[in-house]
Amino acid sequence: NAGVMQNPRHLVRRRGQEARLRCSPMKGHSHVYWYRQLPEEGLKFMVYLQKENIIDESGMPKERFSAEFPKEGPSILRIQQVVRGDSAAYFCASSPQSRGGVTEAFFGQGTRLTVV
Amino acid sequence: GQQVMQIPQYQHVQEGEDFTTYCNSSTTLSNIQWYKQRPGGHPVFLIQLVKSGEVKKQKRLTFQFGEAKKNSSLHITATQTTDVGTYFCAGGIYGNKLVFGAGTILRVKS
């Protein structure tokens, strides 16, 4: 059972370009979380999705950022017209559906985005 | 919205000293989880506590969940250089959502 797969691991974009970050959750996991992390800082929640639904996007900037988790295929975090301040590590985590409440989240290795 | 506060932000200790990080939630949690992130790595799950007042141990690590299910602590006895990293708590909010604390960065001097 492969772990959470994120690609690319490193992404360089020029200011104004679009960045697409992909996350394939663990098999059988229906919950996906995206977090952003600046160097030497904590994990900042961005969005929580279930298949085809955005459950909580309270941590997403209102402009330029969007996320989806389609019925088929990976979850995508999309950043349009990137700026230098978007440079960070973006982590995806997945967890299974559980009637007992939220369970352990498994993290991918992250995508390091650098905007030049 | 729900918040999970974690202190301290940084801790530098001499090898062999103890270390503790604390986590407080503004709301009652369904559970508390702890993760460790090595420098340059990704967060890795350590443990989950579910019951009020629960205490669990993993070798030199002791995890506690408060009686009101709003706070938690991680204590490391006799730190080693391999303990270096950032320790995050994550509160389980009813409805299958995880809210992470900002993390405590631990540095160990040998």
Side-chain angles (χ1 to χ4, degrees), chain A residues 31 33 35 37 40-43 45 48 56 58 91 95-98 101-105 107-109 112, chain B residues 9-10 30-31 33 35 37 40-43 45 48 88 92-93 95-98 100-103 105 107:
Chain A
H31 301 263
Y33 306 81
Y35 294 89
Q37 187 177 41
E40 297 290 297
E41 292 193 9
L43 293 163
F45 168 78
Y48 164 40
D56 183 344
S58 57
F91 288 97
S95 67
Q97 180 74 30
S98 169
V102 65
T103 58
E104 169 187 353
F107 280 81
Q109 303 218 347
R112 270 78 179 170
Chain B
Q9 188 176 1
Y10 299 95
S30 61
N31 63 51
Q33 300 176 15
Y35 293 77
Q37 183 180 23
H42 60 280
F45 176 81
Q48 175 172 285
F88 294 97
I93 307 294
N96 238 44
K97 180 179 172 182
L98 269 181
F100 277 81
I105 298 172
R107 295 285 179 257

Side-chain angles (χ1 to χ4, degrees), chain A residues 37-89:
Chain A
Q37 187 177 41
L38 294 171
E40 297 290 297
E41 292 193 9
L43 293 163
K44 294 282 171 57
F45 168 78
M46 298 183 74
V47 62
Y48 164 40
L49 311 105
Q50 293 179 24
K51 282 285 188 183
E52 298 184 277
N53 287 307
I54 296 175
I55 306 301
D56 183 344
E57 55 181 348
S58 57
M60 288 269 277
K62 293 285 184 274
E63 297 177 353
R64 302 189 298 108
F65 285 72
S66 62
E68 62 177 11
F69 188 15
K71 188 176 179 181
E72 302 290 338
S75 175
I76 307 285
L77 178 67
R78 184 180 175 208
I79 311 172
Q80 295 178 292
Q81 300 174 329
V82 295
V83 300
R84 287 226 171 97
D86 296 332
S87 296

Side-chain angles (χ1 to χ4, degrees), chain A residues 10-23:
Chain A
H10 299 274
L11 181 62
V12 179
R13 282 287 177 267
R14 295 186 185 280
R15 281 178 294 169
Q17 290 185 319
E18 178 180 286
R20 277 187 182 237
L21 287 60
R22 293 176 184 77
C23 170

Side-chain angles (χ1 to χ4, degrees), chain B residues 49-84:
Chain B
L49 305 171
V50 179
K51 298 176 186 174
S52 169
E54 190 170 9
V55 177
K56 285 189 177 180
K57 293 195 176 204
Q58 287 180 351
K59 296 183 181 177
R60 293 178 295 104
L61 278 60
T62 302
F63 304 85
Q64 291 188 322
F65 198 12
E67 293 290 339
K69 299 183 75 171
K70 285 188 173 184
N71 56 65
S72 181
S73 65
L74 158 60
H75 180 83
I76 302 178
T77 304
T79 54
Q80 299 175 359
T81 53
T82 52
D83 295 326
V84 161

